Amino acid sequence: QVQLVESGGGLVQTGGSLRLSCAASGLTISRYAMGWFRQAPGKERDFVAAIQWNGGRPYYSDSVKGRFTISRDNAKNTVYLQMNSLEPEDTAVYFCAKHATPYATIWSGDAQNFGFWGQGTQVTVSS
């Protein structure tokens, strides 16, 4: 079964940290840029971070820059999102996604460029 499975979400206090994982099965992500997005209740899905297919030049939204770090381990077919200094505004369902085109370079967080999505993991930050 082809899927992206997110894990690592949970409940954390303001200022805390979480590390999300996105494990791919049935597909190889090493040729694809990967991204993280999030959706808060009643809001649209927003871009969080992305990483190039070769692990180069990560790209972050302004709201998480300096607090979140995206990384990947192609040998494990997994992408990570380290989230530090969490704030209540970070509360959302977090999704990982695979870019639609192999070897493409990411220049923006446009969700339309991502062609395959996971089911999401809930992150809740209490104040």
Side-chain angles (χ1 to χ4, degrees), residues 32-53:
Y32 296 90
M34 298 292 294
W36 285 96
F37 294 76
R38 66 187 182 186
Q39 187 167 19
K43 295 187 177 181
E44 295 184 351
R45 189 172 298 188
D46 291 331
F47 169 75
V48 175
I51 189 167
Q52 309 298 341
W53 67 271

Side-chain angles (χ1 to χ4, degrees), residues 7 12 22-23 25 34 41 71 82 122:
S7 62
V12 65
C22 171
S25 62
M34 298 292 294
S71 62
Q82 177 67 43
Q122 176 70 47

Side-chain angles (χ1 to χ4, degrees), residues 19-117:
R19 188 194 194 205
L20 304 184
S21 298
C22 171
S25 62
L27 74 158
T28 300
I29 65 169
S30 60
R31 299 182 298 158
Y32 296 90
M34 298 292 294
W36 285 96
F37 294 76
R38 66 187 182 186
Q39 187 167 19
K43 295 187 177 181
E44 295 184 351
R45 189 172 298 188
D46 291 331
F47 169 75
V48 175
I51 189 167
Q52 309 298 341
W53 67 271
N54 59 1
R57 198 182 67 80
Y59 190 79
Y60 299 97
S61 69
D62 288 342
S63 62
V64 307
K65 197 173 298 181
R67 300 187 297 123
F68 291 11
T69 303
I70 187 171
S71 62
R72 66 191 300 159
D73 186 338
N74 285 340
K76 295 183 178 180
N77 222 21
T78 301
V79 179
Y80 305 98
L81 185 68
Q82 177 67 43
M83 306 187 296
N84 299 329
S85 302
L86 283 162
E87 305 166 352
E89 293 74 23
D90 297 316
T91 295
V93 177
Y94 283 70
F95 301 88
C96 71
K98 180 183 73 66
H99 199 281
T101 305
Y103 304 117
T105 297
I106 299 177
W107 297 105
S108 74
D110 190 346
Q112 293 184 353
N113 293 328
F114 292 83
F116 194 79
W117 296 78

